[in-house]
Amino acid sequence: MRPRRRRTDLPSRYRVLFAGPVGAGKTTAIRALSDAPPVDTDVPMTLTRGDGKTTTTVGLDFGTWRPAPGVTVALIGIPGQQRFAAARQRAAVAGTRVLLWLRADSDTLVADAAEWLGVFAGEEHRVAIAISHDAGRPLREIRRTLADVLQHHGIPLTRVLLADARDRDDVMRAVSVALDLPEEKS
């Protein structure tokens, strides 16, 4: 048996963009994973929502995670509201991985997925999807619900996972899935 060799040509800096609709858990996930106090651009909402959310992101959120010595992952959250879409284009540079956060308990889950995957059209090979607020729905059911839109964008069902944005381990697992994506479409 040949000994396994460790790759030494891997980059030491990565970027993961947290994208998705308002209330999906982007800012919360960055707060849960960041090794340093994150910078966030949350401001009080002028209109209240039925889910208890009282703030909204108006710019870019930023945190850092150091999963191993010498490796840094920039965690960048973009606003979910269309009126702040200009911030999205500035953050989605080449090589950045995308972790799309969607709410399983939303009546617009499929429409949200289609809209946000459209934002990253042509870059789907960089996208993984974290499903929050699953309310006990099994992952296989959520994947079935999203199957058509995922197939349309060429995203395998295996890139969809459940993640509680408040739980550091869940967010770490979701970011790790996003980082393991191939650089280019196969």
PDB file of all heavy atoms in Angstrom, residues 125-144:
ATOM      1  N   HIS A 125     -21.613  25.833 -10.487  1.00  0.00           N
ATOM      2  CA  HIS A 125     -20.600  24.894 -10.006  1.00  0.00           C
ATOM      3  C   HIS A 125     -19.965  25.369  -8.695  1.00  0.00           C
ATOM      4  O   HIS A 125     -19.280  24.612  -8.036  1.00  0.00           O
ATOM      5  CB  HIS A 125     -19.524  24.682 -11.079  1.00  0.00           C
ATOM      6  CG  HIS A 125     -18.805  25.936 -11.452  1.00  0.00           C
ATOM      7  ND1 HIS A 125     -19.366  26.884 -12.284  1.00  0.00           N
ATOM      8  CD2 HIS A 125     -17.596  26.411 -11.097  1.00  0.00           C
ATOM      9  CE1 HIS A 125     -18.523  27.896 -12.436  1.00  0.00           C
ATOM     10  NE2 HIS A 125     -17.443  27.632 -11.722  1.00  0.00           N
ATOM     11  N   ARG A 126     -20.214  26.628  -8.307  1.00  0.00           N
ATOM     12  CA  ARG A 126     -19.670  27.172  -7.056  1.00  0.00           C
ATOM     13  C   ARG A 126     -20.704  27.204  -5.934  1.00  0.00           C
ATOM     14  O   ARG A 126     -20.429  27.734  -4.875  1.00  0.00           O
ATOM     15  CB  ARG A 126     -19.177  28.608  -7.289  1.00  0.00           C
ATOM     16  CG  ARG A 126     -18.067  28.715  -8.288  1.00  0.00           C
ATOM     17  CD  ARG A 126     -17.495  30.111  -8.354  1.00  0.00           C
ATOM     18  NE  ARG A 126     -18.474  31.098  -8.803  1.00  0.00           N
ATOM     19  CZ  ARG A 126     -18.520  32.356  -8.343  1.00  0.00           C
ATOM     20  NH1 ARG A 126     -17.680  32.767  -7.445  1.00  0.00           N
ATOM     21  NH2 ARG A 126     -19.422  33.184  -8.805  1.00  0.00           N
ATOM     22  N   VAL A 127     -21.912  26.655  -6.157  1.00  0.00           N
ATOM     23  CA  VAL A 127     -23.024  26.815  -5.215  1.00  0.00           C
ATOM     24  C   VAL A 127     -23.327  25.528  -4.446  1.00  0.00           C
ATOM     25  O   VAL A 127     -23.465  24.458  -5.028  1.00  0.00           O
ATOM     26  CB  VAL A 127     -24.300  27.266  -5.968  1.00  0.00           C
ATOM     27  CG1 VAL A 127     -25.484  27.373  -5.016  1.00  0.00           C
ATOM     28  CG2 VAL A 127     -24.071  28.590  -6.695  1.00  0.00           C
ATOM     29  N   ALA A 128     -23.462  25.684  -3.130  1.00  0.00           N
ATOM     30  CA  ALA A 128     -24.028  24.654  -2.249  1.00  0.00           C
ATOM     31  C   ALA A 128     -25.223  25.314  -1.564  1.00  0.00           C
ATOM     32  O   ALA A 128     -25.304  26.541  -1.479  1.00  0.00           O
ATOM     33  CB  ALA A 128     -23.006  24.189  -1.224  1.00  0.00           C
ATOM     34  N   ILE A 129     -26.166  24.511  -1.085  1.00  0.00           N
ATOM     35  CA  ILE A 129     -27.396  25.057  -0.514  1.00  0.00           C
ATOM     36  C   ILE A 129     -27.599  24.539   0.904  1.00  0.00           C
ATOM     37  O   ILE A 129     -27.606  23.326   1.137  1.00  0.00           O
ATOM     38  CB  ILE A 129     -28.611  24.692  -1.390  1.00  0.00           C
ATOM     39  CG1 ILE A 129     -28.409  25.253  -2.803  1.00  0.00           C
ATOM     40  CG2 ILE A 129     -29.909  25.214  -0.768  1.00  0.00           C
ATOM     41  CD1 ILE A 129     -29.437  24.797  -3.816  1.00  0.00           C
ATOM     42  N   ALA A 130     -27.755  25.483   1.836  1.00  0.00           N
ATOM     43  CA  ALA A 130     -28.055  25.161   3.230  1.00  0.00           C
ATOM     44  C   ALA A 130     -29.520  25.475   3.483  1.00  0.00           C
ATOM     45  O   ALA A 130     -29.984  26.581   3.209  1.00  0.00           O
ATOM     46  CB  ALA A 130     -27.164  25.982   4.160  1.00  0.00           C
ATOM     47  N   ILE A 131     -30.239  24.508   3.996  1.00  0.00           N
ATOM     48  CA  ILE A 131     -31.660  24.671   4.286  1.00  0.00           C
ATOM     49  C   ILE A 131     -31.834  24.877   5.787  1.00  0.00           C
ATOM     50  O   ILE A 131     -31.488  24.006   6.589  1.00  0.00           O
ATOM     51  CB  ILE A 131     -32.473  23.435   3.832  1.00  0.00           C
ATOM     52  CG1 ILE A 131     -32.257  23.156   2.334  1.00  0.00           C
ATOM     53  CG2 ILE A 131     -33.937  23.602   4.178  1.00  0.00           C
ATOM     54  CD1 ILE A 131     -32.830  24.204   1.406  1.00  0.00           C
ATOM     55  N   SER A 132     -32.369  26.041   6.153  1.00  0.00           N
ATOM     56  CA  SER A 132     -32.623  26.350   7.559  1.00  0.00           C
ATOM     57  C   SER A 132     -34.117  26.240   7.854  1.00  0.00           C
ATOM     58  O   SER A 132     -34.920  26.078   6.931  1.00  0.00           O
ATOM     59  CB  SER A 132     -32.119  27.768   7.876  1.00  0.00           C
ATOM     60  OG  SER A 132     -32.868  28.734   7.164  1.00  0.00           O
ATOM     61  N   HIS A 133     -34.466  26.359   9.121  1.00  0.00           N
ATOM     62  CA  HIS A 133     -35.865  26.358   9.544  1.00  0.00           C
ATOM     63  C   HIS A 133     -36.630  25.170   8.934  1.00  0.00           C
ATOM     64  O   HIS A 133     -37.682  25.340   8.341  1.00  0.00           O
ATOM     65  CB  HIS A 133     -36.553  27.673   9.174  1.00  0.00           C
ATOM     66  CG  HIS A 133     -35.896  28.871   9.760  1.00  0.00           C
ATOM     67  ND1 HIS A 133     -34.846  29.506   9.154  1.00  0.00           N
ATOM     68  CD2 HIS A 133     -36.130  29.538  10.913  1.00  0.00           C
ATOM     69  CE1 HIS A 133     -34.464  30.529   9.892  1.00  0.00           C
ATOM     70  NE2 HIS A 133     -35.212  30.570  10.969  1.00  0.00           N
ATOM     71  N   ASP A 134     -36.065  23.979   9.083  1.00  0.00           N
ATOM     72  CA  ASP A 134     -36.655  22.809   8.427  1.00  0.00           C
ATOM     73  C   ASP A 134     -37.911  22.296   9.117  1.00  0.00           C
ATOM     74  O   ASP A 134     -38.656  21.513   8.524  1.00  0.00           O
ATOM     75  CB  ASP A 134     -35.635  21.679   8.296  1.00  0.00           C
ATOM     76  CG  ASP A 134     -35.166  21.167   9.638  1.00  0.00           C
ATOM     77  OD1 ASP A 134     -35.867  20.308  10.212  1.00  0.00           O
ATOM     78  OD2 ASP A 134     -34.110  21.621  10.107  1.00  0.00           O
ATOM     79  N   ALA A 135     -38.178  22.720  10.343  1.00  0.00           N
ATOM     80  CA  ALA A 135     -39.385  22.328  11.080  1.00  0.00           C
ATOM     81  C   ALA A 135     -39.616  20.813  11.066  1.00  0.00           C
ATOM     82  O   ALA A 135     -40.749  20.347  10.970  1.00  0.00           O
ATOM     83  CB  ALA A 135     -40.605  23.064  10.526  1.00  0.00           C
ATOM     84  N   GLY A 136     -38.535  20.060  11.107  1.00  0.00           N
ATOM     85  CA  GLY A 136     -38.651  18.610  11.161  1.00  0.00           C
ATOM     86  C   GLY A 136     -38.876  17.928   9.827  1.00  0.00           C
ATOM     87  O   GLY A 136     -39.016  16.712   9.780  1.00  0.00           O
ATOM     88  N   ARG A 137     -38.915  18.696   8.735  1.00  0.00           N
ATOM     89  CA  ARG A 137     -39.083  18.067   7.414  1.00  0.00           C
ATOM     90  C   ARG A 137     -37.826  17.286   7.073  1.00  0.00           C
ATOM     91  O   ARG A 137     -36.720  17.780   7.211  1.00  0.00           O
ATOM     92  CB  ARG A 137     -39.296  19.132   6.338  1.00  0.00           C
ATOM     93  CG  ARG A 137     -40.694  19.708   6.319  1.00  0.00           C
ATOM     94  CD  ARG A 137     -40.853  20.752   5.246  1.00  0.00           C
ATOM     95  NE  ARG A 137     -40.770  20.183   3.905  1.00  0.00           N
ATOM     96  CZ  ARG A 137     -40.735  20.943   2.810  1.00  0.00           C
ATOM     97  NH1 ARG A 137     -40.748  22.255   2.886  1.00  0.00           N
ATOM     98  NH2 ARG A 137     -40.673  20.370   1.621  1.00  0.00           N
ATOM     99  N   PRO A 138     -37.966  16.070   6.592  1.00  0.00           N
ATOM    100  CA  PRO A 138     -36.792  15.285   6.215  1.00  0.00           C
ATOM    101  C   PRO A 138     -36.074  15.897   5.008  1.00  0.00           C
ATOM    102  O   PRO A 138     -36.714  16.463   4.116  1.00  0.00           O
ATOM    103  CB  PRO A 138     -37.358  13.910   5.855  1.00  0.00           C
ATOM    104  CG  PRO A 138     -38.798  13.936   6.195  1.00  0.00           C
ATOM    105  CD  PRO A 138     -39.208  15.335   6.436  1.00  0.00           C
ATOM    106  N   LEU A 139     -34.777  15.765   4.994  1.00  0.00           N
ATOM    107  CA  LEU A 139     -33.971  16.304   3.902  1.00  0.00           C
ATOM    108  C   LEU A 139     -34.404  15.735   2.557  1.00  0.00           C
ATOM    109  O   LEU A 139     -34.494  16.466   1.572  1.00  0.00           O
ATOM    110  CB  LEU A 139     -32.488  16.021   4.146  1.00  0.00           C
ATOM    111  CG  LEU A 139     -31.524  16.522   3.070  1.00  0.00           C
ATOM    112  CD1 LEU A 139     -31.645  18.032   2.871  1.00  0.00           C
ATOM    113  CD2 LEU A 139     -30.097  16.136   3.423  1.00  0.00           C
ATOM    114  N   ARG A 140     -34.719  14.457   2.492  1.00  0.00           N
ATOM    115  CA  ARG A 140     -35.107  13.856   1.209  1.00  0.00           C
ATOM    116  C   ARG A 140     -36.374  14.523   0.651  1.00  0.00           C
ATOM    117  O   ARG A 140     -36.508  14.703  -0.555  1.00  0.00           O
ATOM    118  CB  ARG A 140     -35.268  12.346   1.328  1.00  0.00           C
ATOM    119  CG  ARG A 140     -36.415  11.879   2.157  1.00  0.00           C
ATOM    120  CD  ARG A 140     -36.477  10.360   2.305  1.00  0.00           C
ATOM    121  NE  ARG A 140     -37.509   9.984   3.227  1.00  0.00           N
ATOM    122  CZ  ARG A 140     -37.419  10.042   4.549  1.00  0.00           C
ATOM    123  NH1 ARG A 140     -36.292  10.453   5.111  1.00  0.00           N
ATOM    124  NH2 ARG A 140     -38.429   9.691   5.321  1.00  0.00           N
ATOM    125  N   GLU A 141     -37.303  14.913   1.531  1.00  0.00           N
ATOM    126  CA  GLU A 141     -38.523  15.599   1.096  1.00  0.00           C
ATOM    127  C   GLU A 141     -38.192  16.995   0.554  1.00  0.00           C
ATOM    128  O   GLU A 141     -38.728  17.417  -0.478  1.00  0.00           O
ATOM    129  CB  GLU A 141     -39.504  15.708   2.263  1.00  0.00           C
ATOM    130  CG  GLU A 141     -40.779  16.446   1.925  1.00  0.00           C
ATOM    131  CD  GLU A 141     -41.658  16.645   3.148  1.00  0.00           C
ATOM    132  OE1 GLU A 141     -41.817  15.688   3.937  1.00  0.00           O
ATOM    133  OE2 GLU A 141     -42.166  17.772   3.308  1.00  0.00           O
ATOM    134  N   ILE A 142     -37.316  17.703   1.230  1.00  0.00           N
ATOM    135  CA  ILE A 142     -36.922  19.041   0.776  1.00  0.00           C
ATOM    136  C   ILE A 142     -36.197  18.944  -0.560  1.00  0.00           C
ATOM    137  O   ILE A 142     -36.440  19.734  -1.472  1.00  0.00           O
ATOM    138  CB  ILE A 142     -36.050  19.736   1.846  1.00  0.00           C
ATOM    139  CG1 ILE A 142     -36.886  19.977   3.117  1.00  0.00           C
ATOM    140  CG2 ILE A 142     -35.472  21.039   1.313  1.00  0.00           C
ATOM    141  CD1 ILE A 142     -36.073  20.362   4.332  1.00  0.00           C
ATOM    142  N   ARG A 143     -35.311  17.973  -0.678  1.00  0.00           N
ATOM    143  CA  ARG A 143     -34.598  17.776  -1.953  1.00  0.00           C
ATOM    144  C   ARG A 143     -35.579  17.461  -3.081  1.00  0.00           C
ATOM    145  O   ARG A 143     -35.412  17.959  -4.195  1.00  0.00           O
ATOM    146  CB  ARG A 143     -33.564  16.657  -1.820  1.00  0.00           C
ATOM    147  CG  ARG A 143     -32.328  17.060  -1.048  1.00  0.00           C
ATOM    148  CD  ARG A 143     -31.393  15.890  -0.850  1.00  0.00           C
ATOM    149  NE  ARG A 143     -30.110  16.324  -0.300  1.00  0.00           N
ATOM    150  CZ  ARG A 143     -29.188  15.480   0.126  1.00  0.00           C
ATOM    151  NH1 ARG A 143     -29.397  14.159   0.068  1.00  0.00           N
ATOM    152  NH2 ARG A 143     -28.052  15.934   0.594  1.00  0.00           N
ATOM    153  N   ARG A 144     -36.594  16.634  -2.789  1.00  0.00           N
ATOM    154  CA  ARG A 144     -37.615  16.333  -3.807  1.00  0.00           C
ATOM    155  C   ARG A 144     -38.348  17.599  -4.222  1.00  0.00           C
ATOM    156  O   ARG A 144     -38.631  17.809  -5.400  1.00  0.00           O
ATOM    157  CB  ARG A 144     -38.612  15.307  -3.269  1.00  0.00           C
ATOM    158  CG  ARG A 144     -38.443  13.920  -3.830  1.00  0.00           C
ATOM    159  CD  ARG A 144     -39.614  12.990  -3.558  1.00  0.00           C
ATOM    160  NE  ARG A 144     -40.225  13.079  -2.245  1.00  0.00           N
ATOM    161  CZ  ARG A 144     -39.855  12.366  -1.179  1.00  0.00           C
ATOM    162  NH1 ARG A 144     -38.869  11.498  -1.274  1.00  0.00           N
ATOM    163  NH2 ARG A 144     -40.474  12.502  -0.029  1.00  0.00           N
TER     164      ARG A 144
END
